[in-house]
Amino acid sequence: MNKEKLLFAFKKTSSPVAYCALSTRFGTRNEEEKYNGLAHLTEHMLFKGTARKNSIEINSTLEKVGGELNAFTTKERIVVYSTVLNQDIKKAISLLFEIAFSSKFPTDELKKEKTVVYDEIITYLDSPSEQIYDTFESKLFAGSKLGFPILGEKKTIEPITSAVLRDNLKKYFTPGNMSFTIAGNFDAQEIAAEVESVLHEWRPGSALKVVAASEPVGAAEFAKAGDSKPAFAQATDAKAAAAKALAAGKKFNETVQKKLRQVHCIIGCSAYSVYEKDKKMALSLLTNILGGPASNSRLNLSLREKNALVYTVEANYILYQDTGAFSIYFGCDKPFFKKCITLIKKELELAVTKKISARALAAAKKQLIGQLLIGNDNAESQCLTMGKSLLVSGKIRPLEETVRQINAVTPEKIQSVAKEVLKWNRMSMLVFE
Protein backbone atom coordinates (compact mmCIF):
# COMPACT_ATOMS: atom_id res chain seq x y z
CA MET A 1 0.00 0.00 0.00
CA ASN A 2 1.42 3.40 -1.02
CA LYS A 3 1.94 5.89 1.75
CA GLU A 4 0.15 9.22 1.46
CA LYS A 5 2.85 11.87 1.01
CA LEU A 6 2.91 15.38 2.42
CA LEU A 7 5.03 17.80 0.39
CA PHE A 8 7.71 19.58 2.40
CA ALA A 9 10.18 22.35 1.56
CA PHE A 10 12.70 24.18 3.71
CA LYS A 11 14.51 27.48 3.14
CA LYS A 12 17.56 28.18 5.32
CA THR A 13 17.94 31.70 6.71
CA SER A 14 20.35 33.38 9.14
CA SER A 15 17.60 34.97 11.23
CA PRO A 16 16.75 34.02 14.85
CA VAL A 17 13.10 33.98 13.74
CA ALA A 18 11.47 31.02 12.01
CA TYR A 19 8.31 30.73 9.93
CA CYS A 20 6.26 27.64 9.12
CA ALA A 21 3.07 27.16 7.13
CA LEU A 22 0.65 24.32 6.56
CA SER A 23 -1.23 24.81 3.27
CA THR A 24 -4.30 22.73 2.40
CA ARG A 25 -5.94 22.39 -0.99
CA PHE A 26 -9.41 23.31 0.23
CA GLY A 27 -11.03 26.63 -0.60
CA THR A 28 -14.24 28.25 -1.72
CA ARG A 29 -14.27 26.32 -4.98
CA ASN A 30 -14.58 23.03 -3.06
CA GLU A 31 -17.80 24.05 -1.31
CA GLU A 32 -21.40 23.06 -1.91
CA GLU A 33 -23.54 26.06 -2.78
CA LYS A 34 -25.74 25.52 0.28
CA TYR A 35 -22.64 25.73 2.49
CA ASN A 36 -20.88 28.66 0.80
CA GLY A 37 -18.45 30.12 3.35
CA LEU A 38 -17.55 26.70 4.73
CA ALA A 39 -13.82 26.97 4.00
CA HIS A 40 -13.55 30.37 5.67
CA LEU A 41 -15.57 29.20 8.67
CA THR A 42 -13.33 26.11 8.90
CA GLU A 43 -10.29 28.39 9.06
CA HIS A 44 -11.85 30.27 11.99
CA MET A 45 -12.84 27.10 13.80
CA LEU A 46 -9.39 25.48 13.56
CA PHE A 47 -8.44 27.65 16.53
CA LYS A 48 -11.39 26.65 18.70
CA GLY A 49 -10.47 23.25 20.12
CA THR A 50 -8.59 20.04 19.36
CA ALA A 51 -8.38 16.59 20.90
CA ARG A 52 -5.81 17.97 23.35
CA LYS A 53 -6.37 21.73 23.69
CA ASN A 54 -9.19 24.21 24.14
CA SER A 55 -9.27 27.55 22.31
CA ILE A 56 -7.38 29.41 25.05
CA GLU A 57 -4.61 26.83 25.10
CA ILE A 58 -4.32 26.89 21.29
CA ASN A 59 -3.94 30.66 21.17
CA SER A 60 -1.53 30.82 24.10
CA THR A 61 0.80 27.99 23.02
CA LEU A 62 2.90 30.26 20.81
CA GLU A 63 1.93 33.62 22.28
CA LYS A 64 3.51 32.79 25.64
CA VAL A 65 6.90 32.37 23.92
CA GLY A 66 6.44 35.57 21.88
CA GLY A 67 5.23 33.79 18.76
CA GLU A 68 2.21 34.27 16.51
CA LEU A 69 -0.41 32.00 14.96
CA ASN A 70 -2.49 33.07 11.98
CA ALA A 71 -4.47 31.79 9.00
CA PHE A 72 -6.20 32.85 5.80
CA THR A 73 -8.56 31.39 3.21
CA THR A 74 -8.55 31.80 -0.58
CA LYS A 75 -10.74 30.31 -3.27
CA GLU A 76 -8.33 27.38 -3.60
CA ARG A 77 -6.64 26.84 -0.23
CA ILE A 78 -6.54 27.34 3.53
CA VAL A 79 -3.21 28.30 5.07
CA VAL A 80 -2.36 28.16 8.78
CA TYR A 81 1.03 29.64 9.63
CA SER A 82 3.15 30.70 12.57
CA THR A 83 6.10 32.87 13.55
CA VAL A 84 8.41 31.83 16.41
CA LEU A 85 11.99 32.00 17.52
CA ASN A 86 14.08 29.19 16.05
CA GLN A 87 14.32 27.54 19.45
CA ASP A 88 10.51 27.17 19.55
CA ILE A 89 9.99 25.69 16.09
CA LYS A 90 8.97 22.28 17.49
CA LYS A 91 6.06 23.91 19.32
CA ALA A 92 4.91 25.54 16.10
CA ILE A 93 5.19 22.35 14.02
CA SER A 94 3.28 20.34 16.60
CA LEU A 95 0.53 22.94 16.94
CA LEU A 96 -0.10 23.28 13.19
CA PHE A 97 -0.44 19.53 12.73
CA GLU A 98 -2.59 19.21 15.83
CA ILE A 99 -5.18 21.74 14.71
CA ALA A 100 -5.19 20.37 11.16
CA PHE A 101 -5.67 16.73 12.13
CA SER A 102 -7.60 16.82 15.41
CA SER A 103 -9.86 19.89 15.49
CA LYS A 104 -13.18 19.03 17.13
CA PHE A 105 -15.29 22.07 16.20
CA PRO A 106 -17.20 22.33 19.51
CA THR A 107 -20.84 23.32 19.03
CA ASP A 108 -20.73 26.12 21.60
CA GLU A 109 -17.63 27.61 19.96
CA LEU A 110 -19.21 27.27 16.51
CA LYS A 111 -22.24 29.26 17.58
CA LYS A 112 -20.04 32.09 18.87
CA GLU A 113 -17.73 32.08 15.85
CA LYS A 114 -20.62 32.31 13.40
CA THR A 115 -21.50 35.62 15.06
CA VAL A 116 -17.93 36.80 14.50
CA VAL A 117 -18.10 35.80 10.82
CA TYR A 118 -21.46 37.55 10.38
CA ASP A 119 -19.88 40.73 11.73
CA GLU A 120 -16.96 40.24 9.30
CA ILE A 121 -19.44 39.97 6.41
CA ILE A 122 -21.22 43.17 7.48
CA THR A 123 -17.91 45.01 7.70
CA TYR A 124 -17.01 43.73 4.24
CA LEU A 125 -20.37 44.80 2.79
CA ASP A 126 -19.75 48.29 4.17
CA SER A 127 -16.60 48.51 2.03
CA PRO A 128 -17.65 48.78 -1.63
CA SER A 129 -14.03 48.93 -2.81
CA GLU A 130 -13.56 45.40 -1.42
CA GLN A 131 -17.00 43.95 -2.13
CA ILE A 132 -16.90 44.89 -5.80
CA TYR A 133 -14.08 42.41 -6.48
CA ASP A 134 -16.06 39.42 -5.21
CA THR A 135 -19.21 40.58 -6.96
CA PHE A 136 -17.28 40.96 -10.21
CA GLU A 137 -15.88 37.41 -10.01
CA SER A 138 -19.29 36.01 -9.04
CA LYS A 139 -20.63 37.35 -12.34
CA LEU A 140 -17.54 36.56 -14.42
CA PHE A 141 -17.53 32.93 -13.22
CA ALA A 142 -21.30 32.55 -12.80
CA GLY A 143 -22.32 28.89 -12.74
CA SER A 144 -18.98 27.84 -11.25
CA LYS A 145 -17.99 27.44 -7.61
CA LEU A 146 -15.12 29.77 -8.42
CA GLY A 147 -17.73 32.53 -8.41
CA PHE A 148 -18.68 31.90 -4.76
CA PRO A 149 -17.63 34.67 -2.31
CA ILE A 150 -15.01 33.52 0.20
CA LEU A 151 -16.93 34.79 3.23
CA GLY A 152 -20.23 33.27 2.13
CA GLU A 153 -23.59 34.64 3.30
CA LYS A 154 -25.47 34.34 6.57
CA LYS A 155 -28.08 32.08 4.95
CA THR A 156 -25.38 29.61 3.78
CA ILE A 157 -23.29 29.72 6.95
CA GLU A 158 -26.21 29.26 9.36
CA PRO A 159 -26.90 25.58 8.42
CA ILE A 160 -23.24 24.52 8.81
CA THR A 161 -22.90 22.17 11.79
CA SER A 162 -19.95 20.75 13.67
CA ALA A 163 -20.58 17.45 11.88
CA VAL A 164 -20.30 19.16 8.48
CA LEU A 165 -17.01 20.76 9.55
CA ARG A 166 -15.62 17.44 10.79
CA ASP A 167 -16.62 15.66 7.58
CA ASN A 168 -14.79 18.21 5.47
CA LEU A 169 -11.75 18.12 7.74
CA LYS A 170 -11.58 14.36 7.24
CA LYS A 171 -12.02 14.71 3.48
CA TYR A 172 -9.60 17.54 2.70
CA PHE A 173 -7.12 17.82 5.58
CA THR A 174 -5.06 14.82 4.55
CA PRO A 175 -1.29 14.66 4.03
CA GLY A 176 -1.66 14.08 0.28
CA ASN A 177 -3.68 17.28 -0.01
CA MET A 178 -1.23 19.44 1.93
CA SER A 179 2.18 21.07 1.93
CA PHE A 180 4.34 22.09 4.89
CA THR A 181 7.04 24.75 4.53
CA ILE A 182 9.61 26.24 6.87
CA ALA A 183 12.02 29.16 6.66
CA GLY A 184 14.56 29.36 9.48
CA ASN A 185 18.10 28.75 10.65
CA PHE A 186 18.16 24.94 10.88
CA ASP A 187 19.94 21.95 9.49
CA ALA A 188 17.85 20.77 6.53
CA GLN A 189 17.90 17.07 7.40
CA GLU A 190 17.21 17.63 11.08
CA ILE A 191 14.22 19.90 10.50
CA ALA A 192 12.77 17.50 7.91
CA ALA A 193 13.13 14.66 10.41
CA GLU A 194 11.32 16.73 13.05
CA VAL A 195 8.42 17.46 10.70
CA GLU A 196 8.18 13.81 9.70
CA SER A 197 8.21 12.72 13.34
CA VAL A 198 5.26 14.98 14.20
CA LEU A 199 3.44 13.97 11.03
CA HIS A 200 3.76 10.29 11.97
CA GLU A 201 2.35 11.05 15.39
CA TRP A 202 -0.90 12.20 13.79
CA ARG A 203 -0.88 10.18 10.56
CA PRO A 204 1.20 7.00 11.11
CA GLY A 205 0.62 5.70 7.56
CA SER A 206 1.89 8.81 5.77
CA ALA A 207 5.31 9.98 4.59
CA LEU A 208 7.16 13.22 3.92
CA LYS A 209 8.22 14.12 0.39
CA VAL A 210 11.05 16.63 0.64
CA VAL A 211 11.28 19.11 -2.26
CA ALA A 212 14.43 21.20 -2.66
CA ALA A 213 13.68 24.88 -2.19
CA SER A 214 16.99 26.39 -3.26
CA GLU A 215 18.38 23.95 -5.80
CA PRO A 216 18.91 25.84 -9.10
CA VAL A 217 17.30 24.49 -12.24
CA GLY A 218 18.98 24.75 -15.63
CA ALA A 219 17.15 26.71 -18.31
CA ALA A 220 16.63 23.68 -20.54
CA GLU A 221 15.38 21.54 -17.67
CA PHE A 222 13.06 24.27 -16.46
CA ALA A 223 11.63 24.87 -19.93
CA LYS A 224 10.95 21.15 -20.25
CA ALA A 225 9.33 20.90 -16.83
CA GLY A 226 7.28 24.05 -17.29
CA ASP A 227 4.30 24.38 -15.00
CA SER A 228 2.90 20.93 -15.68
CA LYS A 229 -0.43 20.17 -14.09
CA PRO A 230 -0.36 17.76 -11.14
CA ALA A 231 -2.93 14.99 -10.90
CA PHE A 232 -5.50 17.09 -9.03
CA ALA A 233 -5.49 19.77 -11.73
CA GLN A 234 -5.47 17.32 -14.62
CA ALA A 235 -8.65 15.78 -13.25
CA THR A 236 -10.54 18.99 -14.02
CA ASP A 237 -9.79 18.54 -17.72
CA ALA A 238 -12.13 15.56 -17.90
CA LYS A 239 -15.06 17.96 -18.20
CA ALA A 240 -13.62 19.75 -21.21
CA ALA A 241 -16.74 21.72 -22.13
CA ALA A 242 -17.23 23.02 -18.59
CA ALA A 243 -13.55 23.91 -18.29
CA LYS A 244 -13.65 25.79 -21.60
CA ALA A 245 -16.73 27.73 -20.54
CA LEU A 246 -15.12 28.65 -17.21
CA ALA A 247 -11.92 29.82 -18.91
CA ALA A 248 -13.96 32.00 -21.27
CA GLY A 249 -15.91 33.62 -18.45
CA LYS A 250 -19.21 35.47 -18.75
CA LYS A 251 -19.80 38.82 -20.46
CA PHE A 252 -21.84 41.43 -18.60
CA ASN A 253 -22.33 45.15 -18.06
CA GLU A 254 -24.15 45.94 -14.82
CA THR A 255 -24.70 48.87 -12.49
CA VAL A 256 -25.70 48.31 -8.87
CA GLN A 257 -27.37 51.16 -7.00
CA LYS A 258 -25.83 51.52 -3.54
CA LYS A 259 -26.39 55.22 -2.88
CA LEU A 260 -22.68 55.95 -2.64
CA ARG A 261 -20.98 59.32 -2.80
CA GLN A 262 -18.34 57.85 -5.12
CA VAL A 263 -18.60 55.57 -8.13
CA HIS A 264 -16.66 52.30 -7.85
CA CYS A 265 -15.97 50.39 -11.04
CA ILE A 266 -14.25 47.23 -12.23
CA ILE A 267 -13.57 46.52 -15.88
CA GLY A 268 -12.18 43.08 -16.69
CA CYS A 269 -12.36 39.65 -18.24
CA SER A 270 -11.16 36.07 -17.88
CA ALA A 271 -7.46 35.39 -18.43
CA TYR A 272 -4.76 32.71 -18.39
CA SER A 273 -4.53 30.03 -15.70
CA VAL A 274 -1.55 29.41 -13.45
CA TYR A 275 -0.32 26.67 -15.80
CA GLU A 276 0.04 28.78 -18.96
CA LYS A 277 3.56 29.82 -18.08
CA ASP A 278 4.71 31.94 -21.05
CA LYS A 279 1.43 33.76 -21.53
CA LYS A 280 0.83 34.32 -17.82
CA MET A 281 4.26 35.91 -17.40
CA ALA A 282 3.71 38.28 -20.30
CA LEU A 283 0.26 39.24 -18.97
CA SER A 284 1.67 39.72 -15.46
CA LEU A 285 4.26 42.10 -16.87
CA LEU A 286 1.66 43.95 -18.95
CA THR A 287 -0.66 44.23 -15.93
CA ASN A 288 2.18 45.83 -13.97
CA ILE A 289 2.83 48.26 -16.82
CA LEU A 290 -0.83 49.24 -17.01
CA GLY A 291 -1.74 49.53 -13.35
CA GLY A 292 0.87 48.14 -11.02
CA PRO A 293 1.73 49.62 -7.60
CA ALA A 294 4.25 52.13 -8.95
CA SER A 295 3.16 55.72 -9.58
CA ASN A 296 4.49 55.53 -13.16
CA SER A 297 1.95 52.93 -14.28
CA ARG A 298 0.10 54.02 -17.42
CA LEU A 299 -3.33 54.18 -15.82
CA ASN A 300 -2.09 56.09 -12.77
CA LEU A 301 -0.33 58.63 -14.99
CA SER A 302 -3.40 59.04 -17.18
CA LEU A 303 -6.23 59.09 -14.64
CA ARG A 304 -4.54 60.54 -11.59
CA GLU A 305 -1.35 62.43 -12.37
CA LYS A 306 -2.40 64.07 -15.66
CA ASN A 307 -6.15 64.47 -15.14
CA ALA A 308 -6.70 64.28 -11.34
CA LEU A 309 -9.80 62.12 -11.80
CA VAL A 310 -9.12 59.42 -9.19
CA TYR A 311 -7.28 58.74 -5.98
CA THR A 312 -6.81 55.05 -6.78
CA VAL A 313 -6.66 53.10 -10.03
CA GLU A 314 -5.09 49.66 -10.25
CA ALA A 315 -4.84 46.65 -12.53
CA ASN A 316 -4.84 43.10 -11.15
CA TYR A 317 -4.33 39.63 -12.54
CA ILE A 318 -5.46 36.71 -10.37
CA LEU A 319 -4.51 33.17 -11.41
CA TYR A 320 -6.46 30.01 -10.67
CA GLN A 321 -5.79 26.39 -11.62
CA ASP A 322 -8.05 26.47 -14.68
CA THR A 323 -8.60 30.14 -15.50
CA GLY A 324 -7.68 33.63 -14.40
CA ALA A 325 -9.17 37.11 -14.00
CA PHE A 326 -7.78 40.39 -15.30
CA SER A 327 -9.34 43.54 -13.87
CA ILE A 328 -8.97 47.30 -13.60
CA TYR A 329 -10.47 48.99 -10.55
CA PHE A 330 -11.01 52.69 -9.91
CA GLY A 331 -13.15 54.94 -7.75
CA CYS A 332 -14.08 58.49 -8.73
CA ASP A 333 -16.62 61.28 -8.30
CA LYS A 334 -19.69 60.64 -10.45
CA PRO A 335 -19.09 63.51 -12.93
CA PHE A 336 -15.67 62.01 -13.79
CA PHE A 337 -16.90 58.48 -14.52
CA LYS A 338 -17.30 58.66 -18.30
CA LYS A 339 -13.95 60.39 -18.71
CA CYS A 340 -12.25 57.61 -16.70
CA ILE A 341 -13.82 54.93 -18.91
CA THR A 342 -12.66 56.76 -22.03
CA LEU A 343 -9.08 56.98 -20.78
CA ILE A 344 -9.00 53.32 -19.68
CA LYS A 345 -10.35 52.20 -23.06
CA LYS A 346 -7.65 54.28 -24.73
CA GLU A 347 -4.87 52.62 -22.72
CA LEU A 348 -6.19 49.12 -23.45
CA GLU A 349 -6.50 49.86 -27.16
CA LEU A 350 -2.94 51.23 -27.13
CA ALA A 351 -1.67 47.98 -25.60
CA VAL A 352 -3.47 45.98 -28.30
CA THR A 353 -2.53 48.07 -31.33
CA LYS A 354 0.94 49.44 -30.54
CA LYS A 355 3.96 47.30 -29.80
CA ILE A 356 5.89 48.40 -26.72
CA SER A 357 9.39 49.68 -27.47
CA ALA A 358 12.40 47.60 -26.47
CA ARG A 359 13.57 50.41 -24.21
CA ALA A 360 10.22 50.76 -22.42
CA LEU A 361 9.96 46.99 -22.01
CA ALA A 362 13.47 46.78 -20.53
CA ALA A 363 12.52 49.45 -17.98
CA ALA A 364 9.28 47.63 -17.16
CA LYS A 365 11.13 44.35 -16.65
CA LYS A 366 13.64 45.99 -14.33
CA GLN A 367 10.81 47.51 -12.31
CA LEU A 368 8.88 44.24 -11.98
CA ILE A 369 12.00 42.27 -11.08
CA GLY A 370 12.87 44.88 -8.47
CA GLN A 371 9.38 44.64 -6.95
CA LEU A 372 9.63 40.85 -6.97
CA LEU A 373 13.06 40.67 -5.33
CA ILE A 374 12.24 43.28 -2.69
CA GLY A 375 8.93 41.58 -1.90
CA ASN A 376 10.69 38.23 -1.64
CA ASP A 377 13.29 39.58 0.79
CA ASN A 378 11.08 38.40 3.63
CA ALA A 379 11.26 34.92 5.14
CA GLU A 380 7.55 34.78 5.93
CA SER A 381 6.69 35.65 2.33
CA GLN A 382 9.11 32.96 1.11
CA CYS A 383 7.54 30.38 3.41
CA LEU A 384 4.01 31.13 2.20
CA THR A 385 5.05 31.28 -1.45
CA MET A 386 6.75 27.89 -1.20
CA GLY A 387 3.59 26.38 0.26
CA LYS A 388 1.47 27.66 -2.61
CA SER A 389 4.01 26.54 -5.20
CA LEU A 390 4.03 23.00 -3.83
CA LEU A 391 0.23 22.77 -4.04
CA VAL A 392 0.15 24.21 -7.55
CA SER A 393 2.97 22.28 -9.21
CA GLY A 394 4.59 19.97 -6.67
CA LYS A 395 7.88 21.84 -6.90
CA ILE A 396 9.57 25.09 -5.89
CA ARG A 397 10.34 27.54 -8.65
CA PRO A 398 13.78 29.11 -8.03
CA LEU A 399 13.50 32.89 -8.01
CA GLU A 400 16.18 33.17 -10.67
CA GLU A 401 13.99 31.17 -13.03
CA THR A 402 11.11 33.59 -12.56
CA VAL A 403 13.51 36.42 -13.34
CA ARG A 404 14.67 34.52 -16.43
CA GLN A 405 11.08 34.13 -17.59
CA ILE A 406 10.41 37.85 -17.14
CA ASN A 407 13.53 38.73 -19.12
CA ALA A 408 12.47 36.35 -21.89
CA VAL A 409 9.25 38.29 -22.59
CA THR A 410 9.44 40.12 -25.94
CA PRO A 411 7.52 43.14 -27.28
CA GLU A 412 5.79 40.73 -29.66
CA LYS A 413 4.66 38.52 -26.78
CA ILE A 414 3.31 41.50 -24.86
CA GLN A 415 1.22 42.59 -27.83
CA SER A 416 0.11 39.01 -28.52
CA VAL A 417 -1.39 38.53 -25.04
CA ALA A 418 -2.90 42.02 -25.22
CA LYS A 419 -4.69 41.03 -28.42
CA GLU A 420 -5.92 37.79 -26.85
CA VAL A 421 -7.03 39.20 -23.50
CA LEU A 422 -7.41 42.98 -23.49
CA LYS A 423 -9.61 43.74 -26.49
CA TRP A 424 -12.43 46.05 -25.44
CA ASN A 425 -15.09 43.68 -26.77
CA ARG A 426 -13.94 41.08 -24.20
CA MET A 427 -14.36 43.45 -21.28
CA SER A 428 -17.16 43.24 -18.74
CA MET A 429 -18.04 46.10 -16.43
CA LEU A 430 -19.46 46.31 -12.93
CA VAL A 431 -20.36 49.64 -11.36
CA PHE A 432 -21.35 50.44 -7.78
CA GLU A 433 -22.90 53.88 -7.44
Side-chain angles (χ1 to χ4, degrees):
M1 182 177 178
N2 292 329
K3 291 184 176 181
E4 194 174 14
K5 294 182 179 180
L6 181 142
L7 295 169
F8 172 74
F10 165 67
K11 178 76 172 180
K12 187 174 180 61
T13 71
S14 58
S15 171
V17 179
Y19 304 88
C20 60
L22 183 61
S23 304
T24 303
R25 195 179 293 113
F26 173 52
T28 313
R29 69 177 307 154
N30 302 108
E31 299 170 349
E32 295 179 66
E33 186 172 5
K34 65 179 180 180
Y35 293 144
N36 177 214
L38 175 61
H40 178 251
L41 183 60
T42 298
E43 173 218 314
H44 275 243
M45 288 300 297
L46 289 173
F47 297 82
K48 299 304 176 181
T50 68
R52 299 176 182 176
K53 294 182 178 67
N54 60 34
S55 60
I56 295 175
E57 291 169 330
I58 290 171
N59 290 317
S60 66
T61 296
L62 301 184
E63 286 183 351
K64 66 185 180 183
V65 294
E68 297 177 355
L69 178 65
N70 215 328
F72 63 86
T73 303
T74 74
K75 292 195 174 183
E76 296 188 325
R77 70 192 193 280
I78 290 176
V79 180
V80 185
Y81 60 104
S82 65
T83 308
V84 291
L85 296 178
N86 285 321
Q87 65 203 50
D88 297 311
I89 190 64
K90 292 182 181 180
K91 292 180 184 292
I93 295 170
S94 296
L95 184 61
L96 294 191
F97 279 124
E98 181 178 343
I99 63 178
F101 292 136
S102 75
S103 282
K104 294 301 182 184
F105 308 116
T107 301
D108 57 336
E109 291 287 352
L110 177 58
K111 184 178 180 180
K112 290 188 292 184
E113 202 60 27
K114 282 182 179 180
T115 302
V116 173
V117 172
Y118 297 154
D119 186 62
E120 186 176 355
I121 292 172
I122 292 170
T123 301
Y124 160 79
L125 293 175
D126 281 342
S127 177
S129 61
E130 293 183 25
Q131 184 193 3
I132 195 169
Y133 279 95
D134 264 355
T135 305
F136 181 83
E137 285 203 5
S138 73
K139 296 180 181 297
L140 182 66
F141 300 128
S144 162
K145 294 180 179 181
L146 202 58
F148 292 175
I150 293 173
L151 297 182
E153 301 177 72
K154 185 174 182 179
K155 67 180 181 181
T156 58
I157 294 170
E158 186 61 38
I160 297 174
T161 64
S162 295
V164 171
L165 289 165
R166 285 192 292 268
D167 286 345
N168 277 272
L169 190 80
K170 183 178 180 180
K171 180 178 180 180
Y172 292 104
F173 283 65
T174 63
N177 205 42
M178 293 174 157
S179 68
F180 198 92
T181 50
I182 293 179
N185 191 3
F186 309 108
D187 175 82
Q189 291 184 337
E190 290 179 0
I191 197 64
E194 180 62 34
V195 173
E196 189 162 47
S197 174
V198 179
L199 174 63
H200 286 170
E201 179 184 352
W202 293 103
R203 290 291 184 271
S206 58
L208 202 66
K209 182 178 180 181
V210 179
V211 179
S214 57
E215 183 178 311
V217 179
E221 180 185 351
F222 184 81
K224 182 179 179 181
D227 287 322
S228 57
K229 296 184 181 182
F232 83 91
Q234 292 172 358
T236 64
D237 294 343
K239 299 181 179 179
K244 185 176 180 180
L246 177 61
K250 306 287 185 180
K251 184 74 182 298
F252 60 91
N253 189 332
E254 295 187 24
T255 298
V256 180
Q257 299 296 330
K258 287 185 171 288
K259 298 181 181 179
L260 302 171
R261 295 182 62 183
Q262 186 182 51
V263 175
H264 297 264
C265 177
I266 284 189
I267 298 168
C269 57
S270 62
Y272 308 119
S273 78
V274 70
Y275 298 108
E276 298 178 76
K277 67 167 188 175
D278 292 331
K279 290 182 176 182
K280 76 175 183 183
M281 190 58 70
L283 184 56
S284 295
L285 183 55
L286 180 53
T287 301
N288 205 58
I289 292 169
L290 286 170
S295 61
N296 67 346
S297 71
R298 290 181 179 181
L299 290 170
N300 191 69
L301 289 175
S302 177
L303 273 67
R304 176 171 173 163
E305 299 302 325
K306 292 181 181 179
N307 291 284
L309 300 174
V310 303
Y311 176 71
T312 298
V313 59
E314 60 187 31
N316 293 284
Y317 172 31
I318 300 174
L319 297 89
Y320 299 112
Q321 68 187 38
D322 41 12
T323 187
F326 171 85
S327 64
I328 295 169
Y329 163 80
F330 69 93
C332 70
D333 287 343
K334 295 180 181 180
F336 299 154
F337 177 70
K338 289 184 179 179
K339 178 66 172 177
C340 288
I341 297 297
T342 298
L343 292 174
I344 290 172
K345 183 177 181 181
K346 180 180 178 181
E347 289 299 335
L348 292 179
E349 289 177 343
L350 183 65
V352 171
T353 59
K354 186 176 181 180
K355 189 186 302 182
I356 189 171
S357 70
R359 182 176 179 179
L361 181 56
K365 288 177 180 179
K366 185 174 182 180
Q367 183 177 58
L368 180 58
I369 291 169
Q371 292 169 354
L372 177 67
L373 295 177
I374 290 172
N376 196 65
D377 190 31
N378 176 295
E380 181 178 76
S381 175
Q382 293 171 12
C383 182
L384 295 174
T385 299
M386 288 192 301
K388 180 180 179 180
S389 182
L390 288 176
L391 290 188
V392 167
S393 61
K395 60 180 181 286
I396 303 297
R397 177 197 302 276
L399 192 58
E400 59 267 28
E401 294 300 338
T402 301
V403 171
R404 183 189 66 79
Q405 279 195 329
I406 294 173
N407 282 324
V409 175
T410 63
E412 292 76 16
K413 193 66 177 179
I414 289 282
Q415 188 174 30
S416 174
V417 299
K419 288 180 177 179
E420 287 186 358
V421 178
L422 302 186
K423 287 184 178 179
W424 190 252
N425 62 10
R426 289 196 77 243
M427 294 295 150
S428 291
M429 186 183 303
L430 176 64
V431 179
F432 283 179
E433 66 174 19

